[in-house]
């Protein structure tokens, strides 16, 4: 049992991979990975499939007539509940069984998707999306947890790299799927498609995925769960209110932000002092984990905020259909498919610091390049920017995710998985809230001087969003053409300001990684054996983390470390032994000796 003030390390894990104890799991481990990725796709797709449907939902006839703040809440109600419950469901999965939690979460996700598809008002949409977020929170942590328990440390970086590719592709093809559906069906079809998808996934999991648990589970942290949800919701609510009211010093803006920040501060203080925290803040003492979480958070902050307003740029300003607008994300997906599978090899050669910081710099370059977008810019510029951004994401996600999972013990993999997913979801929600609010405020300030001749009711409606502005312009007939042009130019100006903020955020992430993420581990050097003892492999001098004792990895006589870090007698490698010698970081973060 853990005691307050201590944090178990991944290298101290007493739980062997399931593939080492069950031959059937070993033979089908890659098939299991495929099933997990398939089940994950519905959850990931839903993070971005809504973006391409935002314009349709904002329309009063074809959609629900949602305002910009209601659209932001349709996205953030999902991500906030998702993020707030990830820790809890990660711990619950470790306790009651990850397979059981995964199947239950997918079934609930399919049901709530059906409810969301038939929402009749913006408020119903927001609440139904929140219910979908609750179900998604039960699914996401279990996928990485099962990967950590099925694959040994030598193969795990490759498996996580494939997992990260799937996440990235899901994020990228969401708009394409949404565009295809909107071209032939009503807006609710972007949610209805989840129903058959989740049903097939549940059946495949029941047949192929093994069950696993934490042999020493802790209690559920109810206080921490409630505090994290309340704090996040209040902070994001205040930020969105700031965009709606056009002022950041209004009591309705500062009040929720200050109270939410105080609750989150209490959450961090409380989690550091209880025996079974939903978030073990002591893990952040390890620079591998803290810098990796910072990288994931900042890159998703910039990405989700950019995807939010680029959907309006393509459809409202440039006049593309949802399908054509979604097709541009193909460049994003292709770039990730090219870079993410290669990131483990790049990490072995250059180190995680170099790879992750390069990825963040590429994302920064892509966000800066959005300054080139205007009312008539060749659209190929956006495709190139998407490709660069996708390449950067492919370099950031796998190494950062593996860095986190290498710190957390295998028996608590649910907590580690929840940590990475929470970083992505919370930062994505804040990205939409903060950047969406900035976009709305700048757009309103740019457009308002051109609305002086309109009635008060029309002025208020026109400044709600670019979709609302165009709706007002359409009602004015030929006289509204000038208003439509002003709306387009005002939106492009607001988008330029917002992308600069996004670029500054991702650049900050690159600087954080360069400063604090550990660099490439130096090659291990053999130490002459004494007596009859087998030769040991001792890592060359490298920084030792605070509170962490230096340790030597045992090896076989041919220099191949076994994945469970035990010596292999008489030179006989274990079944997974040869794979542990490829220089891949192990559970404790050390590197096995390469040939």
């Amino acid at each position: 049992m853990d005691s307050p003030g201590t944090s178990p390390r991944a290298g101290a894990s007493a739980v062997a991979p399931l593939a080492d104890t069950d031959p059937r799991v070993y033979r089908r481990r890659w098939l299991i990975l495929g099933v997990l990725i398939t089940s994950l796709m519905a959850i990931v797709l839903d993070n971005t499939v809504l973006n391409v449907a935002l314009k349709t939902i904002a329309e009063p006839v074809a959609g629900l007539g949602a305002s910009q703040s209601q659209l932001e809440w349709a996205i953030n109600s999902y991500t906030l509940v998702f993020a707030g419950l990830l820790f809890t469901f990660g711990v619950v999965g470790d306790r009651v069984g990850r397979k059981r939690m995964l199947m239950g979460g997918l079934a609930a996700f399919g049901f709530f998707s059906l409810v969301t598809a038939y929402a009749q008002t913006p408020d119903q949409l927001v609440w139904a999306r929140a219910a979908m977020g609750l179900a998604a929170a039960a699914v996401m942590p279990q996928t990485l947890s099962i990967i950590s328990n099925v694959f040994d440390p030598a193969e795990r970086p490759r498996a996580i790299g494939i997992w990260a590719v799937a996440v990235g592709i899901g994020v990228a093809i969401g708009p394409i799927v949404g565009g295809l559906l909107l071209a032939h069906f009503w807006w609710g079809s972007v949610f209805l498609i989840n129903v058959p998808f989740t049903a097939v996934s549940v059946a495949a999991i029941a047949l192929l995925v093994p069950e696993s648990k934490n042999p020493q589970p802790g209690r559920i942290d109810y206080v921490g769960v409630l505090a994290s949800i309340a704090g996040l919701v209040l902070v994001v609510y205040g930020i969105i209110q700031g965009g709606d009211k056009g002022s950041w010093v209004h009591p309705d803006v500062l009040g929720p932000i200050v109270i939410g920040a105080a609750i989150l501060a209490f959450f961090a203080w409380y989690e550091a002092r209880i025996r079974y925290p939903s978030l073990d803040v002591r893990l952040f003492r390890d620079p591998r984990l803290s810098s990796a979480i910072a990288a994931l958070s900042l890159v998703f902050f910039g990405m989700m905020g950019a995807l939010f307003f680029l959907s309006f740029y393509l459809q409202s300003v440039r006049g593309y259909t949802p399908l054509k607008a979604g097709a541009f994300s193909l460049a994003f997906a292709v770039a990730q498919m090219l870079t993410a599978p290669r990131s483990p090899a790049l990490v072995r050669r250059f180190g995680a610091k170099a790879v992750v910081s390069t990825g963040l710099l590429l994302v920064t370059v892509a966000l800066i390049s959005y300054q080139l977008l205007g009312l008539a810019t060749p659209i190929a510029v956006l495709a190139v920017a998407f490709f660069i951004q996708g390449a950067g994401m492919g370099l950031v996600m796998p190494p950062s995710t593996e860095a986190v999972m290498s710190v957390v013990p295998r028996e608590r993999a649910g907590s580690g998985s929840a940590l990475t997913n929470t970083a992505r979801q919370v930062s994505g929600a804040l990205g939409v809230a903060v950047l969406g609010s900035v976009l709305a405020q700048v757009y309103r300030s740019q457009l308002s001087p051109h609305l002086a001749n309109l009635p008060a009711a029309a002025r208020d409606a026109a400044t709600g969003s670019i979709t609302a502005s165009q709706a007002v312009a359409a009602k004015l007939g030929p006289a509204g053409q000038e208003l439509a042009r002003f709306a387009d130019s005002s939106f492009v100006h607001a988008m330029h300001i917002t992308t600069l903020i996004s670029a500054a955020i991702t650049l900050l992430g690159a600087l954080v990684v360069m400063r604090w993420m550990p660099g490439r581990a130096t090659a291990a050097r053999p130490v002459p054996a004494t007596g009859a003892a087998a030769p040991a492999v001792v890592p060359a001098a490298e920084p030792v983390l605070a509170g962490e004792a230096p340790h030597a990895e045992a090896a076989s006589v041919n220099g191949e470390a076994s994945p469970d870090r035990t010596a292999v007698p008489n030179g006989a490698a274990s079944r997974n032994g040869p794979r542990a010698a490829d220089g891949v970081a192990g559970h404790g973060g050390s590197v096995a000796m390469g040939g």
Side-chain angles (χ1 to χ4, degrees):
M1 291 289 189
D2 303 337
S3 59
T6 63
S7 181
R9 297 177 59 251
S13 177
V15 178
L18 293 174
D20 281 359
T21 58
D22 189 336
R24 293 175 301 173
V25 173
Y26 176 75
R27 287 193 299 268
R28 66 191 187 196
R29 64 198 187 283
W30 295 107
L31 183 59
I32 292 169
L33 177 62
V35 171
L36 294 175
I37 288 174
T38 302
S39 65
L40 180 67
M41 289 303 289
I43 308 299
V44 176
L45 277 171
D46 204 76
N47 281 333
T48 56
V49 72
L50 181 60
N51 285 319
V52 76
L54 291 174
K55 182 178 182 295
T56 304
I57 296 173
E59 294 173 356
V61 178
L64 300 176
S67 67
Q68 174 129 340
S69 64
Q70 288 172 327
L71 293 176
E72 290 178 26
W73 274 112
I75 294 175
N76 286 334
S77 63
Y78 176 89
T79 52
L80 284 175
V81 175
F82 189 5
L85 291 174
L86 275 169
F87 292 123
T88 300
F89 284 126
V91 173
V92 172
D94 290 343
R95 184 185 185 94
V96 305
R98 293 151 186 146
K99 175 180 178 178
R100 183 182 304 174
M101 182 62 63
L102 181 60
M103 293 174 63
L106 280 170
F109 190 81
F111 172 76
F112 289 125
S113 296
L114 180 64
V115 174
T116 306
Y118 291 98
Q120 301 298 310
T121 66
D123 288 341
Q124 289 180 13
L125 177 66
V126 170
W127 285 107
R129 287 276 295 167
M132 288 179 66
L134 183 148
V139 173
M140 183 70 89
Q142 317 312 325
T143 57
L144 267 182
S145 299
I146 295 171
I147 289 173
S148 292
N149 280 273
V150 166
F151 289 91
D152 62 65
E155 286 186 323
R156 190 184 59 205
R158 182 184 174 196
I160 289 179
I162 296 172
W163 179 91
V165 170
V167 172
I169 292 175
V171 169
I173 68 174
I176 302 174
V177 174
L180 282 170
L181 292 170
L182 290 173
H184 299 92
F185 307 102
W186 93 114
W187 64 266
S189 62
V190 301
F191 303 110
L192 195 62
I193 193 174
N194 293 334
V195 177
F197 208 99
T198 53
V200 172
S201 297
V202 168
I205 292 166
L207 292 173
L208 296 171
V209 176
E211 184 62 280
S212 61
K213 300 179 182 180
N214 182 354
Q216 294 182 328
R219 301 184 187 92
I220 298 176
D221 173 23
Y222 295 104
V223 174
V225 171
L226 295 175
S228 63
I229 295 175
L232 289 170
V233 169
L234 285 170
V235 168
V236 175
Y237 175 79
I239 292 171
I240 293 177
Q241 284 288 95
D244 286 344
K245 294 185 177 299
S247 172
W248 294 91
V249 295
H250 195 279
D252 290 346
V253 176
L254 291 179
I257 291 176
V258 171
I259 295 173
I263 293 175
L264 291 177
F266 165 78
F267 170 75
W269 174 85
Y270 181 78
E271 296 298 288
R273 284 161 176 79
I274 63 172
R275 188 175 183 84
Y276 301 110
S278 56
L279 171 59
D280 189 350
V281 294
R282 297 181 296 270
L283 291 172
F284 284 91
R285 297 171 183 168
D286 192 320
R288 289 172 297 174
L289 183 142
S290 54
S291 57
I293 290 296
L296 287 171
S297 299
L298 296 176
V299 77
F300 267 81
F301 183 100
M303 185 194 74
M304 293 304 293
L307 289 177
F308 178 76
F309 55 74
L310 283 173
S311 174
F312 286 99
Y313 170 75
L314 287 169
Q315 295 184 59
S316 297
V317 176
R318 302 302 296 265
Y320 287 97
T321 64
L323 178 58
K324 289 183 179 180
F328 284 96
S329 61
L330 276 175
F332 191 93
V334 170
Q336 287 209 72
M337 291 175 65
L338 293 175
T339 56
R342 292 168 173 79
S343 61
L346 293 173
V347 169
R348 290 195 295 270
R349 182 172 182 181
F350 301 107
K353 175 188 289 189
V355 174
V356 175
S357 59
T358 299
L360 284 162
L361 290 174
L362 285 175
V363 174
T364 302
V365 169
L367 291 171
I368 292 175
S369 69
Y370 291 142
Q371 300 297 305
L372 302 175
L373 299 177
L375 299 178
T377 305
I379 207 63
V381 173
L382 179 59
V384 172
F386 267 0
F387 186 88
I388 295 173
Q389 188 170 350
M393 291 289 293
L395 294 178
V396 171
M397 284 184 59
S400 298
T401 304
E402 162 60 16
V404 174
M405 298 306 291
S406 69
V407 174
V408 181
R410 186 178 291 114
E411 59 269 22
R412 295 179 60 190
S415 299
S417 175
L419 189 56
T420 62
N421 288 299
T422 299
R424 288 196 294 267
Q425 296 302 322
V426 171
S427 56
L430 290 175
V432 171
V434 173
L435 299 178
S437 295
V438 171
L439 181 78
Q441 190 166 349
V442 176
Y443 175 73
R444 184 181 295 110
S445 65
Q446 285 289 116
L447 185 62
S448 293
H450 304 290
L451 303 177
N453 295 329
L454 293 180
R459 283 200 304 270
D460 293 340
T463 56
S465 68
I466 186 171
T467 303
S469 302
Q470 292 175 339
V472 171
K475 293 178 181 179
L476 297 176
Q481 294 180 0
E482 186 177 6
L483 172 59
R485 287 195 298 271
F486 284 135
D488 289 347
S489 60
S490 298
F491 185 87
V492 170
H493 175 76
M495 185 179 72
H496 288 166
I497 299 297
T498 309
T499 51
L500 283 179
I501 297 174
S502 300
I505 293 295
T506 53
L507 179 60
L508 174 63
L511 296 176
V512 168
V513 169
M514 292 177 188
R515 173 63 180 85
W516 282 288
M517 181 172 280
R520 181 165 62 94
T522 53
R525 54 182 173 81
V527 175
T530 58
V537 174
V538 179
E542 59 182 357
V544 178
L545 302 177
E548 180 175 311
H551 58 283
E553 304 288 6
S556 66
V557 292
N558 62 1
E560 293 177 342
S562 66
D564 60 357
R565 306 309 187 203
T566 57
V568 182
N570 302 323
S574 70
R575 180 178 63 201
N576 299 329
R579 292 192 305 277
D582 63 358
V584 179
H587 235 344
S590 301
V591 178
M593 181 177 179

